[in-house]
Amino acid sequence: MLYMWCAPPYVPVDTSADRRRRRGAHPPENRSPAMTNRRTSSLKNRGRTTATAVAATAVAALVAGCSGGAGGGQEQGTPNASATPCGVADSLTFGNGAGPSTLDPGTIDQSASLYIQPAYEPLIRRDPQGEYVPGLAVEWGYVGEGNTQFQIQLREGVTFPDGGELTAEGVVEHFTYLQQAGGSSSALLAGTTFTVESPLQLTMNLAAPNPILEELLSQDWVIGMVISPIALQDPAALGTSTAGAGQYVLDTSRTVAGDTYVYTANPDYYDPSAVHYREMTIRVVANPNSLLSALQTGELDAAIGDFTTASAARGAGLQVAAQPTVWQGLGLFDRAGSLSAPLADQRVRQAINFAIDRETVTEALYAGDGVPTSEIALPGSEDYNEDTADFYAYDPDRARELLTEAGYPDGFTLDVLSTDFANIGTAGQALAGQLEQVGIELNLVQEEPNSYVTDLFSAAYPAAAVGLGSPPVHISATLAIAPTGPFNPFRTEDAELATLYTQAAAAEEADRAALNQQIVARVQELAWFAPVTFTPVYYYGSATTGGLAVNEQNRLLDPVNLFSTQC
Amino acid sequence: MPRLLGRWLVRSTLLVLLVSALTFVLVSLTPGDPARTILGQSATQEQYEALRLQMGLDAPLLTRYGAWLSDALHGDLGASLFSGEPVTGLIAQRLGVTLTLITGGVLVAGLLGVALGVISSRSSGVLARVVDVASLVGSAIPPFWLGLVLSAVFAVGLRLVPVVGYTSPAVDPVAWALSIVLPIVTLALAGTAIVAKQTRDAMREELGKDYVLVLRSHGASEWTVQIKHALRNAGVPVVTVLGVLLIGLLGGTVLVESVFSLPGLGGLAVTSTLRHDLPVIQGVTVLFAVVVVAVNLLVDLVNAWINPKVAA
C-alpha cells in the first residue's frame, strides 16, 4: 500500500478551563508554573484565531484512504449537523475504501489511522467543533520560548483494557517505541527526548522547534494515541489487536484483516457519555459503487465517499459532506534544470502557472466540489495568504511573454510523471491541454502507483502530476520545501524560505501565521509548484446517522463522534 | 493410473517450484519497496536502510529465496511484513470464501451448462441459437459489470440479498447463502454459456456417430442413448473446459470479491502486491499454483475414468 499523509486540521482553539470543567477534567495539582504561564499566554492568542486548515500531504496515489476533509469553508449536501445523539445505540457500520496494512501504531500508515482511532485514546482530543480538549492529557503546553519543550499533564486513574495504567513513564515508553518502530511516526519524534517530571507529568524535549505539537498529539495523527505499557512488552501482537484506552476494543475473533474490523465498547472508558454505540464495525468496501449501494440498503451507516459517486449519493438522498483537502496540480521539481533546462528559469515555472485556467479545470473535473487555487495553503486557513490569492490569475499572454523572456518563445516539451490513481492522471491531461495553448507540451508518463511514488522520490522526472495534502505549513514545508523533504526530490534550497521556516517554527503563535503566509507566498513566487484545485474528501451518511458534519473547524471526520439520531 | 499419478507428482512439484521462484524474482524486481512503504516519505535514508536490514531485504535474492523455500518446506510461509500475521493464517482465513466462490461457480456453470447443452443438442431451432448467442454474450460480459448490475437489481432494488459482505456458514447458514448467491451467479454466467456450447457441440458429434444408430436400432431408450452413452463420451472435452473454467475463475474472483466486498484470496493478493508484501504474495501465488496443478490432475483423473484410453 502506498503511503500518504492525511493530516489533521490545524485548528488553534480557545480551550478554556471552563470547557475542561464541563467535560469533567480537572486541573492537575502538580502542574509546573512555567507550563501554566505559557498555557495562559497561549490561550489568549488562540482566542483570536478560529480556524485553519487541514492537512493531508499525499502522493496522489494515496488519496483514497484519506480519512480527512478540509477546505475553504465549503460544505455540500445536508449533513446532519443539528442532530443530537440518542444515547447508546446498538451498532454503527462505517465503510472505507481501503484497509490498513497493520494496526500497530508504531508502523501504521497515517492515512489508515481511522482503524485505530476507536481503540486508542489520544493525549489531546479534537472535538467535533474542532477544538482541542483533554484526552489522556488534561493539561499541556510549551515551556519557555522557542517551541522546543512541551509539557504534558496526564489524566488520573486511567486504565487500559489489559490492566495497564496510564503513567508518565508509560507514555515515554510509548513515544520511545514509536521512535524505534520505524513507521512514519518515528520521523515526527526524531531526536526528541523525554523527562518524567512526576508520575503523571512529562516533558518532551524536541530536537528542533515544532509549533504544532498540540495537533500532532490529537487523534488525527498517530503519535498521540498511547499504547498500553503492558502491550509494549510484546509489540508483535500490536499488528492484529488494539491496546489503547479508547472508547472501543477490537474484537479479534470477529475481525477479518483487510475486510471487517469489529470493535466493542470499552466498559472502562473514562467518559462513558462519549461512547455512542455498543459495537462499531469498519468495513472495507473497495468498489465505490458497492459502497454507495450498501449505504442505500442500510448495510452501512456512514462511509468515506469518493468523487465518482458524490453526485449519485446526493441523488440517493444520503447525507453528503465534503471539505476540499488535497491540492492537485504539477510539482515542478527540477528547479536546477538537470533534466529539463527550461524549469531552471523561474520565469518558465511562473509561465506554467499563468497558463492554467484554474476555474475552468476545476469546474470540468470536480463540478462544484473543487476549489481553484494557486497556493498550497487552504483558503480559510490561517496559513492562507489572501494577498497573493490572485498572483497567478489566468493570463496566457503573460505566460507567452515570460516564456519569450526566458528564451523559449516556441515553448518546450516537459516530461511529467503521472498515475491513474485518484484522478491524478485526468487532472494531468486537463493541464496538458491548457499548457499546449502557450506552446508547452506535457509528455505525461503514466505509471502504476508504486512505481509512480518510487520515481517521484528518486527524481526520475523533472515534474510530476501530484495530489498533495495541505497540512499546517510547518509540516508541508518539512515534506515539500525543505531540502531533505521527500517532495523536494531535487533538493532545491532557497535561503529566504529557510530563514522563514526557522523563524516560524520557533515563533509564538501570534507571529506564526504571518510567517507561514510569507512562506506560502514565497513558494508561490518561486513557482516550485503549479497548484490548480483543492479536491474534496467526501463523507456519506444515512438519514439517522448524526455527527457527520465537517467544516472549517472540524475538517476530519472522527468515527467515534458519529452517533445515532434514531431514538 | 499409478503412472499418471507419478507423472503428475513430478510435473506439479517442478511447476510449483518454478512458480515460486519466478514470483520471488518478479516481485523483487518490480518498482517499490516495503521498507519505503512502511516508513513513508519523511524517513531518512539511514532509517530506510536500517529497516531494510531489519527486514532482511538487503540479502542477495538467492539467499532470500533459499530461506523462504526452506521455511516453506517446513510448513512456514512466513509472516506479513506489515501486520506480522502468519501467511498461513491469512490464507486460512480467506481460503473458504474463495473456494466457495470457485466451486460454486464451477458447479453452477457445470450443471446448468451441461443441462442446457444436452437440451439444445436435440434442437436445431430457437434453443440452439439461444445457446449460441448466450455463450457469445455471456463470455463477453465483464464479471465486475455483471456483478454491479445484479447487485443493483437484486440487492438495492429488490432487497433480496445483501450488497456487500460475507457471513460464515457456521454463524448463519441462511445469511451465508444469501451473501454468496450473487457472487456465484456472477462468476458462473460466462462459464455456463461456454459449457453449454461445448456440451451441445460434443453431444451433436456423438449423436451423429454409428454406435448411436446401433443403440437406437437395438431399441435402447433415448435416455440411455443420450445420457449413458453420448454424454459420457462427450464428457472429455466438457470436463476439460470445466477445468480450464475453474482455473480462470481464480482470476475472476479478484474482481467479484471487490464488487461484493468478500474477504477472499483475490483481494489479499491484490493488496499484498500493492504493498510489496512479499511473503503474502508468495504464499497466495504458490497456493494458486497448487490449485492449478490439482485441478489439472482432477481433470486428467475424471477423463481417465470417462475414457480409460486416456490413462493408458
Side-chain angles (χ1 to χ4, degrees), chain A residues 103-187:
Chain A
L103 295 174
D104 182 350
T107 52
I108 193 170
D109 181 32
Q110 196 258 339
S111 66
S113 61
L114 167 77
Y115 291 90
I116 58 172
Q117 280 178 13
Y120 285 92
E121 181 70 2
L123 284 163
I124 300 168
R125 184 166 279 285
R126 178 183 50 77
D127 74 8
Q129 287 72 47
E131 299 182 344
Y132 290 108
V133 296
L136 292 181
V138 288
E139 193 70 25
W140 57 87
Y142 288 97
V143 179
E145 302 299 320
N147 298 334
T148 55
Q149 279 199 310
F150 194 81
Q151 210 162 73
I152 298 166
Q153 179 67 39
L154 298 170
R155 186 181 293 276
E156 283 183 45
V158 173
T159 56
F160 293 85
D162 62 7
E165 290 183 5
L166 179 70
T167 63
E169 294 266 8
V171 174
V172 171
E173 285 174 27
H174 158 77
F175 282 136
T176 307
Y177 171 68
L178 294 190
Q179 283 178 320
Q180 295 168 351
S184 56
S185 295
S186 64

Side-chain angles (χ1 to χ4, degrees), chain A residues 68-77 79 310 314 319-325 369 535-540 548-551 555:
Chain A
Q74 186 173 348
E75 185 172 307
Q76 292 89 27
R314 291 189 181 101
Q319 299 180 69
V320 178
Q323 284 291 309
T325 305
D369 291 337
T535 64
V537 171
Y538 293 91
Y539 301 103
Y540 304 157
L548 191 61
V550 289
N551 48 55
R555 301 176 192 280

